[in-house]
C-alpha cells in the first residue's frame, strides 16, 4: 500500500494517479473535510469555496483531469472583470479604452506597462520578444529594480507598489522579479473587447473534489486521521503511524509515502527543513441581498483593512446561489502576531463591514444575509529571491529515505504562483515517479 498524507487537491490527485498505475492507496486527512483550501460552504444554491478560486487558460493539467473525470461539460469559461480603487474611485481596467482612460498613469506609463504584459522588452528602443522566456534569469532580481528598469517609475509607484503591498505586506521588498513575470504569464487568454477569460466549474470546485473522492474510493480515504510518524528501516520507509479521534493510534505498512501537505508537516514527520516562508490569509464570504459593485475583482490602493474585494457573483450568476450575491473579502497576513489575526470572527466581520462602508458610502448593512470566515496560517508562499533553491524535491530518497515523496505547496509545481492546477501537477509528478521506480 502507498500512503498519502493530506486530502487536499494534491493528495487526492496523487491517489487518483497511483490507482491508475495499479497501486493500492490510502489517504489520511487530519481534518474532517477533504479539499484543503478548496473546501466549501453551503449557500441557498451551489456550494461556494471558502477561499476564492478560478482557472486561467494557461492551466492545462486540471482541465485534462476535469475531462478525464467526466466533468468536461461542467467547465465554463467566463469573462472576469477587474478594477482598481484609487482615491475613492473604482476604475475599470479590462478594455483598452478603460486602461487608456485610467487617470493615474501617463500615456508613457501605460505604453511601458502594456509592453511588459505582452512580453515585449522595449528597453533601448528595439523590441525584444524573448527577454522574458526564462523566469530563472530573473530569480535574483528585486521586483522593484525590475519594474523600474522594464517599465517606469509611474508604473511602480501608482500601479505595482499598492498591489505588491496588498499581496505581500512589508515583505514585498524581498519578492523576486521572477514571481512578477510568472504572474503575468500565469494569467491566460484575454479578449480585447471583453476582458480576461477565466474558468469555473458548474457547482463549484467541490464537484471536482467529489469526483476525485469517488474515483479514489471513499473507503480509501480516512478523514479525522493525523499521520504522526514515519517508520524508516534501513534507509527506506516501511510504515506510518496514525492517530484517529475515533479509532486511536494505528500502524500501517506502506511501500511509499506521498506527503501532500505543508512543509511543516513534512518536517515534523521526517526532519526535512524547508526554508520557504509562508503567509496566512483571513478570507470571509459575505452573502448580500444585492450586489455591492459591478466588477469581479477589485484591487484597492486606498487605505483599507482588506487587500481586495472579489464579488464572485459578478463572475458566476447569483441564480446559481439561490439569488445570493457572494462577496469575498480577503487579507494576507505576514505576521501572525498582528492584532487582526488574533481577532475572532465577529471582530473580523465588524472590521470588514466598516471597511466596505468606507469605500462604498451607499452600502447598507441590512443587505448582509450571513458572513462566514476562514483563516489559514499558510495559504501562499512569499516568493522571495532565491526561491527556486528552496523548493522541496518531489523525490526525497536522497534527503530523507527511499519511498518518501513530496507534493505539497513548497513543490516546484507551485511556482511562480500557487494554484489548484499546481497541486494536481505535484500529485501527478510524485505518482509517476513512484510508478517509474517500480
Amino acid at each position: 500500500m502507498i500512503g498519502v498524507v493530506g486530502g487536499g487537491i494534491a493528495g487526492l490527485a496523487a491517489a487518483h494517479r497511483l490507482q491508475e498505475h495499479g497501486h493500492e492507496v490510502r489517504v489520511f486527512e487530519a481534518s474532517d473535510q477533504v479539499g484543503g483550501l478548496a473546501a466549501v460552504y453551503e449557500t441557498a444554491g451551489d456550494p461556494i469555496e471558502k477561499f476564492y478560486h478560478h482557472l486561467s487558460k494557461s492551466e492545462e493539467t486540471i482541465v485534462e483531469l476535469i475531462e478525464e473525470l467526466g466533468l468536461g461539460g461542467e467547465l465554463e469559461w467566463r469573462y472576469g472583470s477587474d478594477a482598481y480603487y484609487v482615491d475613492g474611485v473604482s476604475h475599470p481596467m479590462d478594455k483598452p479604452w478603460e486602461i487608456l482612460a485610467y487617470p493615474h498613469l501617463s500615456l508613457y506609463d501605460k505604453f511601458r506597462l502594456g509592453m511588459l504584459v505582452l512580453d515585449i522588452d522595449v528597453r533601448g528602443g528595439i523590441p525584444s520578444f524573448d527577454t522574458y522566456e526564462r523566469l530563472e534569469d530573473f530569480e535574483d532580481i528585486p521586483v522593484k529594480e525590475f519594474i523600474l528598469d522594464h517599465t517606469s517609475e509611474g508604473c511602480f509607484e501608482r500601479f505595482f507598489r499598492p498591489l505588491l503591498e496588498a499581496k505581500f505586506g512589508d515583505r514585498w521588498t524581498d519578492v523576486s522579479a521572477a514571481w512578477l513575470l510568472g504572474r503575468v504569464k500565469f494569467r491566460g487568454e484575454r479578449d480585447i473587447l471583453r476582458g480576461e477569460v477565466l474558468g469555473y466549474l458548474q457547482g463549484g470546485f467541490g464537484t471536482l473534489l467529489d469526483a476525485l473522492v469517488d474515483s479514489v474510493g471513499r473507503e480509501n480515504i480516512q478523514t479525522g486521521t493525523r499521520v504522526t510518524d514515519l517508520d524508516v528501516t534501513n534507509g527506506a520507509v516501511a510504515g506510518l503511524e496514525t492517530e484517529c479521534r475515533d479509532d486511536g493510534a494505528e500502524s500501517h505498512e506502506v511501500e511509499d509515502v506521498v506527503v501532500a501537505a505543508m512543509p511543516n508537516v513534512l518536517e515534523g514527520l521526517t526532519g526535512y527543513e524547508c526554508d520557504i516562508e509562508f503567509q496566512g490569509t483571513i478570507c470571509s464570504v459575505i452573502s448580500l441581498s444585492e450586489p455591492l459593485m459591478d466588477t469581479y475583482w477589485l484591487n484597492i490602493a486606498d487605505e483599507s483593512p482588506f487587500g481586495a474585494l472579489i464579488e464572485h457573483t459578478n463572475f458566476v450568476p447569483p441564480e446559481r446561489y439561490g439569488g445570493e450575491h457572494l462577496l469575498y473579502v480577503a487579507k494576507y497576513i505576514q505576521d501572525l502576531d498582528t492584532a487582526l489575526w488574533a481577532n475572532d470572527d465577529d471582530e473580523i466581520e465588524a472590521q470588514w463591514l466598516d471597511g466596505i462602508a468606507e469605500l462604498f458610502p451607499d452600502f447598507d448593512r441590512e443587505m448582509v444575509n450571513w458572513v462566514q470566515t476562514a483563516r489559514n496560517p499558510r495559504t501562499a508562499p512569499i516568493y522571495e529571491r532565491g526561491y527556486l533553491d528552496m523548493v522541496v524535491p518531489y523525490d526525497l530518497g536522497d534527503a530523507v529515505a527511499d519511498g518518501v515523496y513530496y507534493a505539497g505547496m513548497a513543490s516546484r509545481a507551485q511556482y511562480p504562483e500557487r494554484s489548484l492546477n499546481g497541486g494536481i501537477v505535484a500529485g501527478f509528478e510524485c505518482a509517476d515517479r513512484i510508478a517509474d521506480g517500480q
Side-chain angles (χ1 to χ4, degrees), residues 153-198:
E153 185 173 353
C155 285
F156 172 71
E157 291 293 346
R158 294 187 290 275
F159 185 81
F160 284 112
R161 182 169 184 155
L163 298 179
L164 288 166
E165 290 176 342
K167 176 79 172 179
F168 296 107
D170 59 5
R171 294 296 308 275
W172 74 265
T173 56
D174 299 324
V175 173
S176 77
W179 171 81
L180 178 64
L181 274 175
R183 182 69 176 168
V184 170
K185 292 174 179 292
F186 179 80
R187 303 304 292 261
E189 189 176 305
R190 177 176 289 275
D191 185 289
I192 193 169
L193 296 179
R194 303 182 66 181
E196 186 175 10
V197 182
L198 302 173

Side-chain angles (χ1 to χ4, degrees), residues 220-235:
N220 297 317
I221 301 171
Q222 291 183 216
T223 55
T225 304
R226 185 178 302 278
V227 176
T228 57
D229 193 21
L230 295 184
D231 175 16
V232 175
T233 302
N234 297 325

Side-chain angles (χ1 to χ4, degrees), residues 276-341:
I276 293 173
E277 295 186 59
F278 288 80
Q279 54 187 351
T281 304
I282 301 174
C283 185
S284 298
V285 177
I286 301 179
S287 169
L288 302 169
S289 59
E290 301 174 29
L292 176 70
M293 53 189 185
D294 58 4
T295 193
Y296 169 52
W297 195 290
L298 183 67
N299 291 304
I300 301 168
D302 289 8
E303 189 70 27
S304 172
F306 37 75
L309 294 174
I310 302 103
E311 191 156 346
H312 178 79
T313 42
N314 287 334
F315 175 51
V316 178
E319 291 75 22
R320 298 272 180 90
Y321 306 96
E324 295 184 49
H325 297 265
L326 300 175
L327 176 74
Y328 285 104
V329 186
K331 174 72 172 178
Y332 283 106
I333 305 291
Q334 292 75 39
D335 182 0
L336 300 185
D337 291 328
T338 61
L340 184 62
W341 185 263

